[in-house]
Amino acid sequence: MQPSEATALKGAPKGALFSGWSAGLAGLLAPSEEGLKRSYFKGTGLAAALLSPQLIILLFFFFVPSWKALSLAFVQIDPFGGKSVFVGLRNFVELFASENYRYSAWLTFWFTITQNIITLVIAGALAFAIDHIVRARYAYRTVILLPYAIAPVVTGAMWAFLFNPSVGPIAGWLHAMGLPWDPNLRPWDAVVLITMASVWNHICYDFIFLTAAMLAVPQSLREAAAIDGASQWRRFRTITVPLVMPTVFYLFIINFVYGLFDTFGIIDAVTRGGPAGSTTTLVYKVYQDGFVNLNLGSSAAQSIVLMALAVLFTILQFRALDRRVNYQV
Amino acid sequence: MVERNPVLTIICHLILLAGAALVCLPLYFAFVAGSHTGAEMNQVPFPLLPGDQFVENAGKAWQQGNFSRVFFNSFVVTLGIVFGKIATSIIAAFAITYFRFPFRRTAFWLIFISLMLPVEVRILPTYEAVADVAGPVRWALDVLGISSVIATLTGYRIDAGFNWSLVNTYSGLIFPIIASATAVFLFRQFFLTVPDELCEAAKLDGTRPMKFLFQILLPLSIPNIAALAIILFIAGWNQYLWPMLFTTDKNMATAIVALKNFVPVGDSEGGWEIAMAASFFVMLPPTLVILFLQRWFAKGLVDSGK
């Protein structure tokens, strides 16, 4: 695997993101040279035609819906009559006052933090190990990569089966050890189960990035340190770790995004948010309140909260990516 | 490796074997469960060796789940997403990097903003947008007063006749997913590394922009396109939330949605062997892609950061 020199998002308009909006906004309207090839074509009509498919799809399926989500959050809708009344911030007030939502927010926070750290630790150990062996590398890597191909729903189905209290083999062993394992009745067991399934599905992703980062550590640095008499452990601690750290930071943010948004399939296949709402993460709650309980105003307000989170993580991701790129030797 | 350290090597192999076991054991048990009859599977202790019913169970699942049809759907939708995303992203990135025109950065920013809000965040309004694609158009005509003009002139009410729902269509499953900021960034990033002399030379020879794109840029982009196509194929095949919401008709479901219907809920005991057998052929296409195109796949993942 070749470590990448240029990452896709390195060319994002970070100037405007991080160094004040004013300059960025002024630059939006003036034709600028930034990110333009030194040798370019003229032809506004053709450029517009080339951009139009992307922008039209964005308009219809991104900007209009996002705008609707924003406006829905401030009205009360009668699901049967379709009349809407402007209620200001009431949806949000009700949301933050509701016990269920506060629980869901806490659950999401702990669930994402836990799966994040476990995933990073396991992936880090595997990447470290594969970096220090010569034989059978390819075979190990192929096996560890497999879960990337497996959909969250399929992962969920498999783990739901393994730990199913009546037929699951692992649940059977737990019962044999005298543990009262039952994710269908005991909330804590259900949370543990979705956490394990989420970690299992995501280790491969972190592993790929960490392996690439470790490969990118220059061999010359390690050899120089070895000649100076640094032990293998010390070389790892003082050379590899600092150089891989930006990637770890980047993955930490990506894992958060994964835990927030991409675990929907796992939760839907394993617990459907139960028992008694104990595994209803924020995204699952948006779906349940909007599509199942038809509480449109509340669901839209929750969407806005998630949007704010998504924007925050995107900005963090770019900062992390920036560092990841700049630290490459 | 600078020096040999047999102890460390053994420890590393043990860590990797543990990791491989962590990955393989759930898959192995799922396979064992899929290869027994329901009665055999429910015995205590759980059988540790595969039985001989796998083909039988898979066949049952294929029949019950209407998988011939949903597999076809999955392929159409996934390939549509892969092709559509790459095509729209390449031309958009080409326009942004190789053309000078007013609002160039505005266009770039519009695409950039879309990166910030994943589909999961705005499922409900997007569902409305797909169920009523012409809505914004009707609204625009209304605001501009055009619809009342047309109504008086022709007697034709536009807001009644202008309805267009994409629910239960391939377009509804493909189009909303196609716009991809990540892919635009990836290609833009690549185009910025292409030597300027190529474009200079092409312009001296009087090459038209489109010809330059097709004959010079595209052949150079093939490694990037291949890597991205693999990532998009796997992501497209495995997506669940979107097709689940957008297909109310069983014949329009994708393989993943159909599989979900096999998973027993809560304490119901039967049917696990069928569900497990089915999960194996549902995960087959992306698995084959990863096994055979591993090098490309890893490159694409690290490059696109997706």
Side-chain angles (χ1 to χ4, degrees), chain B residues 62-89:
Chain B
W62 190 273
Q63 285 293 325
Q64 288 173 19
N66 188 11
F67 270 105
S68 317
R69 168 79 197 195
V70 295
F71 249 67
F72 174 75
N73 291 347
S74 261
F75 273 111
V76 169
V77 169
T78 308
L79 294 176
I81 290 172
V82 171
F83 182 80
K85 259 192 182 179
I86 290 178
T88 53
S89 303

PDB file of all heavy atoms in Angstrom, chain B residues 62-89:
ATOM      1  N   TRP B  62     -33.086 -17.510  -1.022  1.00  0.00           N
ATOM      2  CA  TRP B  62     -33.126 -16.885  -2.347  1.00  0.00           C
ATOM      3  C   TRP B  62     -34.560 -16.845  -2.864  1.00  0.00           C
ATOM      4  O   TRP B  62     -35.017 -15.851  -3.412  1.00  0.00           O
ATOM      5  CB  TRP B  62     -32.204 -17.653  -3.297  1.00  0.00           C
ATOM      6  CG  TRP B  62     -31.995 -16.953  -4.593  1.00  0.00           C
ATOM      7  CD1 TRP B  62     -32.776 -17.057  -5.703  1.00  0.00           C
ATOM      8  CD2 TRP B  62     -30.954 -16.026  -4.912  1.00  0.00           C
ATOM      9  NE1 TRP B  62     -32.281 -16.253  -6.698  1.00  0.00           N
ATOM     10  CE2 TRP B  62     -31.158 -15.609  -6.238  1.00  0.00           C
ATOM     11  CE3 TRP B  62     -29.854 -15.520  -4.196  1.00  0.00           C
ATOM     12  CZ2 TRP B  62     -30.307 -14.697  -6.873  1.00  0.00           C
ATOM     13  CZ3 TRP B  62     -29.017 -14.623  -4.828  1.00  0.00           C
ATOM     14  CH2 TRP B  62     -29.242 -14.220  -6.158  1.00  0.00           C
ATOM     15  N   GLN B  63     -35.274 -17.969  -2.672  1.00  0.00           N
ATOM     16  CA  GLN B  63     -36.673 -18.041  -3.101  1.00  0.00           C
ATOM     17  C   GLN B  63     -37.540 -17.057  -2.320  1.00  0.00           C
ATOM     18  O   GLN B  63     -38.239 -16.223  -2.901  1.00  0.00           O
ATOM     19  CB  GLN B  63     -37.221 -19.453  -2.844  1.00  0.00           C
ATOM     20  CG  GLN B  63     -36.723 -20.492  -3.820  1.00  0.00           C
ATOM     21  CD  GLN B  63     -37.265 -20.232  -5.219  1.00  0.00           C
ATOM     22  OE1 GLN B  63     -38.393 -19.776  -5.360  1.00  0.00           O
ATOM     23  NE2 GLN B  63     -36.461 -20.503  -6.235  1.00  0.00           N
ATOM     24  N   GLN B  64     -37.496 -17.174  -0.978  1.00  0.00           N
ATOM     25  CA  GLN B  64     -38.404 -16.398  -0.130  1.00  0.00           C
ATOM     26  C   GLN B  64     -38.170 -14.898  -0.268  1.00  0.00           C
ATOM     27  O   GLN B  64     -39.103 -14.112  -0.213  1.00  0.00           O
ATOM     28  CB  GLN B  64     -38.207 -16.774   1.342  1.00  0.00           C
ATOM     29  CG  GLN B  64     -38.739 -18.148   1.691  1.00  0.00           C
ATOM     30  CD  GLN B  64     -38.351 -18.513   3.115  1.00  0.00           C
ATOM     31  OE1 GLN B  64     -38.010 -17.650   3.912  1.00  0.00           O
ATOM     32  NE2 GLN B  64     -38.403 -19.797   3.423  1.00  0.00           N
ATOM     33  N   GLY B  65     -36.910 -14.527  -0.413  1.00  0.00           N
ATOM     34  CA  GLY B  65     -36.584 -13.100  -0.401  1.00  0.00           C
ATOM     35  C   GLY B  65     -36.665 -12.464  -1.769  1.00  0.00           C
ATOM     36  O   GLY B  65     -36.313 -11.300  -1.914  1.00  0.00           O
ATOM     37  N   ASN B  66     -37.063 -13.240  -2.787  1.00  0.00           N
ATOM     38  CA  ASN B  66     -37.178 -12.655  -4.125  1.00  0.00           C
ATOM     39  C   ASN B  66     -35.820 -12.102  -4.544  1.00  0.00           C
ATOM     40  O   ASN B  66     -35.713 -11.028  -5.111  1.00  0.00           O
ATOM     41  CB  ASN B  66     -38.239 -11.549  -4.058  1.00  0.00           C
ATOM     42  CG  ASN B  66     -38.596 -11.005  -5.414  1.00  0.00           C
ATOM     43  OD1 ASN B  66     -38.197 -11.584  -6.432  1.00  0.00           O
ATOM     44  ND2 ASN B  66     -39.322  -9.915  -5.447  1.00  0.00           N
ATOM     45  N   PHE B  67     -34.746 -12.848  -4.214  1.00  0.00           N
ATOM     46  CA  PHE B  67     -33.408 -12.286  -4.369  1.00  0.00           C
ATOM     47  C   PHE B  67     -32.965 -12.111  -5.813  1.00  0.00           C
ATOM     48  O   PHE B  67     -32.111 -11.286  -6.088  1.00  0.00           O
ATOM     49  CB  PHE B  67     -32.378 -13.111  -3.587  1.00  0.00           C
ATOM     50  CG  PHE B  67     -32.208 -12.621  -2.178  1.00  0.00           C
ATOM     51  CD1 PHE B  67     -32.747 -13.302  -1.111  1.00  0.00           C
ATOM     52  CD2 PHE B  67     -31.522 -11.449  -1.933  1.00  0.00           C
ATOM     53  CE1 PHE B  67     -32.610 -12.832   0.184  1.00  0.00           C
ATOM     54  CE2 PHE B  67     -31.372 -10.965  -0.637  1.00  0.00           C
ATOM     55  CZ  PHE B  67     -31.914 -11.662   0.419  1.00  0.00           C
ATOM     56  N   SER B  68     -33.532 -12.882  -6.734  1.00  0.00           N
ATOM     57  CA  SER B  68     -33.140 -12.663  -8.134  1.00  0.00           C
ATOM     58  C   SER B  68     -33.429 -11.220  -8.516  1.00  0.00           C
ATOM     59  O   SER B  68     -32.609 -10.540  -9.138  1.00  0.00           O
ATOM     60  CB  SER B  68     -33.925 -13.593  -9.058  1.00  0.00           C
ATOM     61  OG  SER B  68     -34.002 -14.876  -8.515  1.00  0.00           O
ATOM     62  N   ARG B  69     -34.600 -10.761  -8.103  1.00  0.00           N
ATOM     63  CA  ARG B  69     -35.006  -9.407  -8.447  1.00  0.00           C
ATOM     64  C   ARG B  69     -34.206  -8.367  -7.642  1.00  0.00           C
ATOM     65  O   ARG B  69     -33.704  -7.395  -8.202  1.00  0.00           O
ATOM     66  CB  ARG B  69     -36.509  -9.261  -8.181  1.00  0.00           C
ATOM     67  CG  ARG B  69     -37.035  -7.873  -8.224  1.00  0.00           C
ATOM     68  CD  ARG B  69     -37.242  -7.374  -9.623  1.00  0.00           C
ATOM     69  NE  ARG B  69     -37.373  -5.914  -9.619  1.00  0.00           N
ATOM     70  CZ  ARG B  69     -37.852  -5.219 -10.641  1.00  0.00           C
ATOM     71  NH1 ARG B  69     -38.212  -5.818 -11.737  1.00  0.00           N
ATOM     72  NH2 ARG B  69     -37.946  -3.922 -10.553  1.00  0.00           N
ATOM     73  N   VAL B  70     -34.080  -8.549  -6.332  1.00  0.00           N
ATOM     74  CA  VAL B  70     -33.439  -7.498  -5.530  1.00  0.00           C
ATOM     75  C   VAL B  70     -31.933  -7.425  -5.796  1.00  0.00           C
ATOM     76  O   VAL B  70     -31.339  -6.364  -5.698  1.00  0.00           O
ATOM     77  CB  VAL B  70     -33.721  -7.641  -4.012  1.00  0.00           C
ATOM     78  CG1 VAL B  70     -35.177  -7.440  -3.729  1.00  0.00           C
ATOM     79  CG2 VAL B  70     -33.206  -8.925  -3.461  1.00  0.00           C
ATOM     80  N   PHE B  71     -31.325  -8.548  -6.177  1.00  0.00           N
ATOM     81  CA  PHE B  71     -29.909  -8.485  -6.547  1.00  0.00           C
ATOM     82  C   PHE B  71     -29.732  -7.634  -7.794  1.00  0.00           C
ATOM     83  O   PHE B  71     -28.826  -6.818  -7.870  1.00  0.00           O
ATOM     84  CB  PHE B  71     -29.356  -9.897  -6.801  1.00  0.00           C
ATOM     85  CG  PHE B  71     -28.392 -10.323  -5.750  1.00  0.00           C
ATOM     86  CD1 PHE B  71     -28.830 -10.546  -4.462  1.00  0.00           C
ATOM     87  CD2 PHE B  71     -27.040 -10.491  -6.027  1.00  0.00           C
ATOM     88  CE1 PHE B  71     -27.940 -10.924  -3.472  1.00  0.00           C
ATOM     89  CE2 PHE B  71     -26.145 -10.864  -5.047  1.00  0.00           C
ATOM     90  CZ  PHE B  71     -26.596 -11.081  -3.760  1.00  0.00           C
ATOM     91  N   PHE B  72     -30.639  -7.848  -8.745  1.00  0.00           N
ATOM     92  CA  PHE B  72     -30.604  -7.034  -9.958  1.00  0.00           C
ATOM     93  C   PHE B  72     -30.758  -5.559  -9.585  1.00  0.00           C
ATOM     94  O   PHE B  72     -29.988  -4.706 -10.046  1.00  0.00           O
ATOM     95  CB  PHE B  72     -31.709  -7.491 -10.915  1.00  0.00           C
ATOM     96  CG  PHE B  72     -31.839  -6.625 -12.127  1.00  0.00           C
ATOM     97  CD1 PHE B  72     -30.904  -6.710 -13.148  1.00  0.00           C
ATOM     98  CD2 PHE B  72     -32.889  -5.728 -12.251  1.00  0.00           C
ATOM     99  CE1 PHE B  72     -31.023  -5.907 -14.273  1.00  0.00           C
ATOM    100  CE2 PHE B  72     -33.008  -4.927 -13.370  1.00  0.00           C
ATOM    101  CZ  PHE B  72     -32.069  -5.014 -14.381  1.00  0.00           C
ATOM    102  N   ASN B  73     -31.728  -5.257  -8.706  1.00  0.00           N
ATOM    103  CA  ASN B  73     -31.914  -3.869  -8.262  1.00  0.00           C
ATOM    104  C   ASN B  73     -30.643  -3.310  -7.647  1.00  0.00           C
ATOM    105  O   ASN B  73     -30.240  -2.186  -7.943  1.00  0.00           O
ATOM    106  CB  ASN B  73     -33.018  -3.787  -7.193  1.00  0.00           C
ATOM    107  CG  ASN B  73     -34.383  -4.070  -7.759  1.00  0.00           C
ATOM    108  OD1 ASN B  73     -34.548  -4.088  -8.965  1.00  0.00           O
ATOM    109  ND2 ASN B  73     -35.341  -4.298  -6.892  1.00  0.00           N
ATOM    110  N   SER B  74     -30.035  -4.099  -6.763  1.00  0.00           N
ATOM    111  CA  SER B  74     -28.831  -3.629  -6.091  1.00  0.00           C
ATOM    112  C   SER B  74     -27.750  -3.296  -7.096  1.00  0.00           C
ATOM    113  O   SER B  74     -27.060  -2.279  -6.958  1.00  0.00           O
ATOM    114  CB  SER B  74     -28.319  -4.697  -5.118  1.00  0.00           C
ATOM    115  OG  SER B  74     -28.730  -4.389  -3.815  1.00  0.00           O
ATOM    116  N   PHE B  75     -27.583  -4.171  -8.100  1.00  0.00           N
ATOM    117  CA  PHE B  75     -26.550  -3.905  -9.096  1.00  0.00           C
ATOM    118  C   PHE B  75     -26.859  -2.640  -9.885  1.00  0.00           C
ATOM    119  O   PHE B  75     -25.978  -1.803 -10.099  1.00  0.00           O
ATOM    120  CB  PHE B  75     -26.365  -5.101 -10.034  1.00  0.00           C
ATOM    121  CG  PHE B  75     -25.396  -6.109  -9.486  1.00  0.00           C
ATOM    122  CD1 PHE B  75     -25.822  -7.347  -9.066  1.00  0.00           C
ATOM    123  CD2 PHE B  75     -24.040  -5.801  -9.377  1.00  0.00           C
ATOM    124  CE1 PHE B  75     -24.934  -8.267  -8.538  1.00  0.00           C
ATOM    125  CE2 PHE B  75     -23.144  -6.715  -8.858  1.00  0.00           C
ATOM    126  CZ  PHE B  75     -23.584  -7.955  -8.435  1.00  0.00           C
ATOM    127  N   VAL B  76     -28.112  -2.479 -10.301  1.00  0.00           N
ATOM    128  CA  VAL B  76     -28.475  -1.288 -11.072  1.00  0.00           C
ATOM    129  C   VAL B  76     -28.208  -0.029 -10.254  1.00  0.00           C
ATOM    130  O   VAL B  76     -27.559   0.915 -10.715  1.00  0.00           O
ATOM    131  CB  VAL B  76     -29.963  -1.338 -11.482  1.00  0.00           C
ATOM    132  CG1 VAL B  76     -30.416   0.002 -12.039  1.00  0.00           C
ATOM    133  CG2 VAL B  76     -30.191  -2.436 -12.508  1.00  0.00           C
ATOM    134  N   VAL B  77     -28.687  -0.033  -9.011  1.00  0.00           N
ATOM    135  CA  VAL B  77     -28.555   1.160  -8.169  1.00  0.00           C
ATOM    136  C   VAL B  77     -27.088   1.448  -7.872  1.00  0.00           C
ATOM    137  O   VAL B  77     -26.623   2.582  -8.000  1.00  0.00           O
ATOM    138  CB  VAL B  77     -29.354   0.976  -6.866  1.00  0.00           C
ATOM    139  CG1 VAL B  77     -29.023   2.068  -5.866  1.00  0.00           C
ATOM    140  CG2 VAL B  77     -30.835   0.959  -7.174  1.00  0.00           C
ATOM    141  N   THR B  78     -26.330   0.404  -7.499  1.00  0.00           N
ATOM    142  CA  THR B  78     -24.935   0.610  -7.128  1.00  0.00           C
ATOM    143  C   THR B  78     -24.123   1.110  -8.315  1.00  0.00           C
ATOM    144  O   THR B  78     -23.376   2.088  -8.199  1.00  0.00           O
ATOM    145  CB  THR B  78     -24.322  -0.699  -6.602  1.00  0.00           C
ATOM    146  OG1 THR B  78     -25.179  -1.210  -5.582  1.00  0.00           O
ATOM    147  CG2 THR B  78     -22.958  -0.456  -6.021  1.00  0.00           C
ATOM    148  N   LEU B  79     -24.280   0.461  -9.460  1.00  0.00           N
ATOM    149  CA  LEU B  79     -23.518   0.900 -10.631  1.00  0.00           C
ATOM    150  C   LEU B  79     -23.969   2.294 -11.060  1.00  0.00           C
ATOM    151  O   LEU B  79     -23.151   3.107 -11.485  1.00  0.00           O
ATOM    152  CB  LEU B  79     -23.674  -0.108 -11.770  1.00  0.00           C
ATOM    153  CG  LEU B  79     -23.029  -1.472 -11.452  1.00  0.00           C
ATOM    154  CD1 LEU B  79     -23.292  -2.482 -12.558  1.00  0.00           C
ATOM    155  CD2 LEU B  79     -21.530  -1.324 -11.225  1.00  0.00           C
ATOM    156  N   GLY B  80     -25.256   2.573 -10.926  1.00  0.00           N
ATOM    157  CA  GLY B  80     -25.748   3.914 -11.250  1.00  0.00           C
ATOM    158  C   GLY B  80     -25.089   4.965 -10.374  1.00  0.00           C
ATOM    159  O   GLY B  80     -24.662   6.019 -10.847  1.00  0.00           O
ATOM    160  N   ILE B  81     -24.991   4.664  -9.073  1.00  0.00           N
ATOM    161  CA  ILE B  81     -24.361   5.616  -8.150  1.00  0.00           C
ATOM    162  C   ILE B  81     -22.885   5.782  -8.485  1.00  0.00           C
ATOM    163  O   ILE B  81     -22.374   6.907  -8.555  1.00  0.00           O
ATOM    164  CB  ILE B  81     -24.536   5.143  -6.690  1.00  0.00           C
ATOM    165  CG1 ILE B  81     -25.994   5.274  -6.267  1.00  0.00           C
ATOM    166  CG2 ILE B  81     -23.656   5.950  -5.751  1.00  0.00           C
ATOM    167  CD1 ILE B  81     -26.291   4.665  -4.918  1.00  0.00           C
ATOM    168  N   VAL B  82     -22.188   4.666  -8.714  1.00  0.00           N
ATOM    169  CA  VAL B  82     -20.755   4.741  -9.012  1.00  0.00           C
ATOM    170  C   VAL B  82     -20.527   5.564 -10.266  1.00  0.00           C
ATOM    171  O   VAL B  82     -19.743   6.522 -10.276  1.00  0.00           O
ATOM    172  CB  VAL B  82     -20.165   3.316  -9.195  1.00  0.00           C
ATOM    173  CG1 VAL B  82     -18.743   3.389  -9.722  1.00  0.00           C
ATOM    174  CG2 VAL B  82     -20.196   2.564  -7.878  1.00  0.00           C
ATOM    175  N   PHE B  83     -21.241   5.210 -11.320  1.00  0.00           N
ATOM    176  CA  PHE B  83     -21.036   5.893 -12.592  1.00  0.00           C
ATOM    177  C   PHE B  83     -21.443   7.363 -12.486  1.00  0.00           C
ATOM    178  O   PHE B  83     -20.712   8.258 -12.894  1.00  0.00           O
ATOM    179  CB  PHE B  83     -21.831   5.188 -13.698  1.00  0.00           C
ATOM    180  CG  PHE B  83     -21.622   5.807 -15.039  1.00  0.00           C
ATOM    181  CD1 PHE B  83     -20.487   5.510 -15.781  1.00  0.00           C
ATOM    182  CD2 PHE B  83     -22.543   6.708 -15.557  1.00  0.00           C
ATOM    183  CE1 PHE B  83     -20.288   6.098 -17.010  1.00  0.00           C
ATOM    184  CE2 PHE B  83     -22.353   7.298 -16.782  1.00  0.00           C
ATOM    185  CZ  PHE B  83     -21.220   6.989 -17.516  1.00  0.00           C
ATOM    186  N   GLY B  84     -22.607   7.611 -11.900  1.00  0.00           N
ATOM    187  CA  GLY B  84     -23.123   8.975 -11.811  1.00  0.00           C
ATOM    188  C   GLY B  84     -22.221   9.870 -10.979  1.00  0.00           C
ATOM    189  O   GLY B  84     -21.914  10.999 -11.360  1.00  0.00           O
ATOM    190  N   LYS B  85     -21.788   9.365  -9.833  1.00  0.00           N
ATOM    191  CA  LYS B  85     -20.933  10.165  -8.963  1.00  0.00           C
ATOM    192  C   LYS B  85     -19.639  10.528  -9.672  1.00  0.00           C
ATOM    193  O   LYS B  85     -19.209  11.681  -9.652  1.00  0.00           O
ATOM    194  CB  LYS B  85     -20.597   9.375  -7.697  1.00  0.00           C
ATOM    195  CG  LYS B  85     -21.421   9.782  -6.508  1.00  0.00           C
ATOM    196  CD  LYS B  85     -20.870   9.200  -5.224  1.00  0.00           C
ATOM    197  CE  LYS B  85     -21.761   9.613  -4.075  1.00  0.00           C
ATOM    198  NZ  LYS B  85     -21.377   9.108  -2.800  1.00  0.00           N
ATOM    199  N   ILE B  86     -19.007   9.527 -10.299  1.00  0.00           N
ATOM    200  CA  ILE B  86     -17.712   9.780 -10.919  1.00  0.00           C
ATOM    201  C   ILE B  86     -17.867  10.736 -12.091  1.00  0.00           C
ATOM    202  O   ILE B  86     -17.097  11.695 -12.231  1.00  0.00           O
ATOM    203  CB  ILE B  86     -17.047   8.451 -11.315  1.00  0.00           C
ATOM    204  CG1 ILE B  86     -16.618   7.724 -10.037  1.00  0.00           C
ATOM    205  CG2 ILE B  86     -15.846   8.679 -12.205  1.00  0.00           C
ATOM    206  CD1 ILE B  86     -16.001   6.391 -10.262  1.00  0.00           C
ATOM    207  N   ALA B  87     -18.897  10.522 -12.912  1.00  0.00           N
ATOM    208  CA  ALA B  87     -19.080  11.384 -14.084  1.00  0.00           C
ATOM    209  C   ALA B  87     -19.349  12.832 -13.669  1.00  0.00           C
ATOM    210  O   ALA B  87     -18.662  13.749 -14.128  1.00  0.00           O
ATOM    211  CB  ALA B  87     -20.216  10.846 -14.946  1.00  0.00           C
ATOM    212  N   THR B  88     -20.327  13.039 -12.774  1.00  0.00           N
ATOM    213  CA  THR B  88     -20.635  14.426 -12.400  1.00  0.00           C
ATOM    214  C   THR B  88     -19.460  15.082 -11.678  1.00  0.00           C
ATOM    215  O   THR B  88     -19.198  16.268 -11.859  1.00  0.00           O
ATOM    216  CB  THR B  88     -21.880  14.508 -11.490  1.00  0.00           C
ATOM    217  OG1 THR B  88     -21.687  13.626 -10.399  1.00  0.00           O
ATOM    218  CG2 THR B  88     -23.146  14.150 -12.209  1.00  0.00           C
ATOM    219  N   SER B  89     -18.739  14.290 -10.866  1.00  0.00           N
ATOM    220  CA  SER B  89     -17.630  14.886 -10.115  1.00  0.00           C
ATOM    221  C   SER B  89     -16.478  15.265 -11.023  1.00  0.00           C
ATOM    222  O   SER B  89     -15.857  16.309 -10.831  1.00  0.00           O
ATOM    223  CB  SER B  89     -17.132  13.914  -9.056  1.00  0.00           C
ATOM    224  OG  SER B  89     -18.171  13.562  -8.214  1.00  0.00           O
TER     225      SER B  89
END
